[in-house]
Amino acid sequence: MHPAGRVLLRSRQGTDMTASFPEIRAAALAQLPADTGLDGELVVWEHGRLAFERLRQRLAQRGRGAAEGAAQWPAHYVVFDLPSRMTGRFTCAG
């Protein structure tokens, strides 16, 4: 999250995915302090299992379609690493 309150979700290739996941953006704005960076993975669950096809479908949606997708197939963000503000090093979850 940027200091000005802007959330950016980026893929490994650097593609901006923020518009496809409004529920993740809203959660980040509500729960994280400014200037926070996280490294993790977006996942979508279906019947107790990871649903990669639903995640792909969500990636293609923007605007109203993204909001509808969030209601039907909500995404979750699993955090792997949290950069330390003091040292710039990563704190690993494992």
Side-chain angles (χ1 to χ4, degrees), residues 4 13 25 35 45 66 70 73 75:
Q13 293 78 26
R25 179 186 179 279
D35 203 21
W45 294 89
W73 304 107

Side-chain angles (χ1 to χ4, degrees), residues 9-92:
L9 298 173
R10 259 191 264 175
S11 71
R12 290 181 185 136
Q13 293 78 26
T15 303
D16 183 351
M17 305 181 306
T18 312
S20 296
F21 300 96
E23 72 276 31
I24 302 298
R25 179 186 179 279
L29 286 171
Q31 298 176 38
L32 297 174
D35 203 21
T36 298
L38 302 172
D39 182 17
E41 189 83 24
L42 285 167
V43 297
V44 173
W45 294 89
E46 181 178 23
H47 307 297
R49 302 178 75 161
L50 293 176
F52 295 105
E53 182 58 31
R54 301 293 182 212
L55 183 63
R56 279 195 291 270
Q57 290 171 350
R58 292 286 315 276
L59 282 167
Q61 298 173 327
R62 302 281 189 277
R64 184 177 176 156
E68 291 170 357
Q72 186 174 13
W73 304 107
H76 304 270
Y77 190 75
V78 180
V79 176
F80 298 141
D81 298 312
L82 175 64
S84 169
R85 291 183 189 188
M86 302 290 283
T87 65
R89 297 182 188 146
F90 283 93
T91 303
C92 298

